[in-house]
Amino acid sequence: MDRSIFLDVLYSLQRLFVGYIPAAVVGSFFGYLIGVNGAIYEIFRRIVQIPHSIPPVAWLPLMLVILPEKESAIVIVIFVATFWTILINTAIGMRHFRRQDNNFRVAIFHIFHALKVGVWVAWFTVIAVEMLIDQKGLGSLAWNGYKSVNINYIFEAIIYIGVIGFLLDQLLDLAGYMLAQIVSNGKKSD
């Protein structure tokens, strides 16, 4: 593997995790609080759709004005995009959890679905932001390949982007499956 591609992968993954992990924790927590209470859910479900409807990249110019450090602006955009997605999907999952007699397997399924959708949004945002403003990362590699008409760079970037996205998705599927099995086995032993 070419060293620069390895570094591009690391830059992209670093941005992903620095923006995604806090958004996953905070979004899941507030999504849970909103979802377990029917009245709060009804109040917030429409309001939350407004910021969620803004494409993540649209936040970038505002963040670049507010935060002079480009890397901080990129991470905040990833956080904001991911936060709303996870919050909404977790709240919906908690409503299903309540409707199905507090079935923990249902809760696990919905929480991990929220985390998966969140990681997709975060990954797409990382790549798009890198294409727009950065000189490092897989998005930048693909965009620079386009500008220099280097099809090999474009294909390499696309392959890495797809493989990493697939692995992240599979990792969350596996974690959700294992947790659901632990919950199921725990109930059987009771």
Side-chain angles (χ1 to χ4, degrees):
M1 177 190 289
D2 183 75
R3 181 169 161 39
S4 66
I5 293 173
F6 179 72
L7 289 176
D8 285 327
V9 167
L10 289 180
Y11 286 131
S12 295
L13 287 174
Q14 178 186 4
R15 289 181 178 125
L16 172 77
F17 291 125
V18 170
Y20 173 78
I21 291 172
V25 171
V26 176
S28 295
F29 176 73
F30 284 110
Y32 168 80
L33 291 178
I34 291 168
V36 294
N37 185 306
I40 292 175
Y41 177 79
E42 290 304 321
I43 292 168
F44 279 99
R45 80 183 177 122
R46 300 272 187 248
I47 295 170
V48 171
Q49 287 295 342
I50 296 169
H52 183 252
S53 299
I54 300 169
V57 176
W59 290 104
L60 185 59
L62 178 64
M63 291 304 131
L64 287 169
V65 168
I66 293 171
L67 302 166
E69 211 277 307
K70 182 173 58 171
E71 199 62 36
S72 298
I74 291 170
V75 168
I76 295 296
V77 168
I78 295 163
F79 173 88
V80 168
T82 308
F83 169 77
W84 294 116
T85 299
I86 292 175
L87 181 138
I88 289 168
N89 284 290
T90 301
I92 291 168
M94 289 302 96
R95 295 309 305 150
H96 288 287
F97 167 71
R98 294 299 227 184
R99 284 187 205 117
Q100 296 191 7
D101 299 323
N102 297 342
N103 182 334
F104 283 103
R105 285 183 62 99
V106 170
I108 292 167
F109 170 79
H110 284 288
I111 289 170
F112 276 88
H113 177 74
L115 294 173
K116 282 177 59 168
V117 173
V119 84
W120 296 336
V121 169
W123 188 235
F124 299 159
T125 303
V126 166
I127 300 306
V129 168
E130 288 176 349
M131 286 181 169
L132 288 173
I133 65 166
D134 209 12
Q135 298 302 313
K136 53 190 175 186
L138 291 172
S140 178
L141 178 68
W143 192 249
N144 288 336
Y146 162 74
K147 290 192 304 190
S148 65
V149 194
N150 187 332
I151 301 297
N152 291 335
Y153 278 173
I154 296 170
F155 277 126
E156 279 184 271
I158 289 171
I159 290 168
Y160 282 111
I161 291 165
V163 168
I164 291 169
F166 172 77
L167 291 174
L168 292 167
D169 180 80
Q170 294 302 299
L171 180 66
L172 286 169
D173 269 348
L174 178 63
Y177 173 77
M178 290 172 53
L179 188 57
Q181 292 303 313
I182 291 169
V183 167
S184 293
N185 292 338
K187 285 188 176 186
K188 287 177 186 173
S189 64
D190 289 343

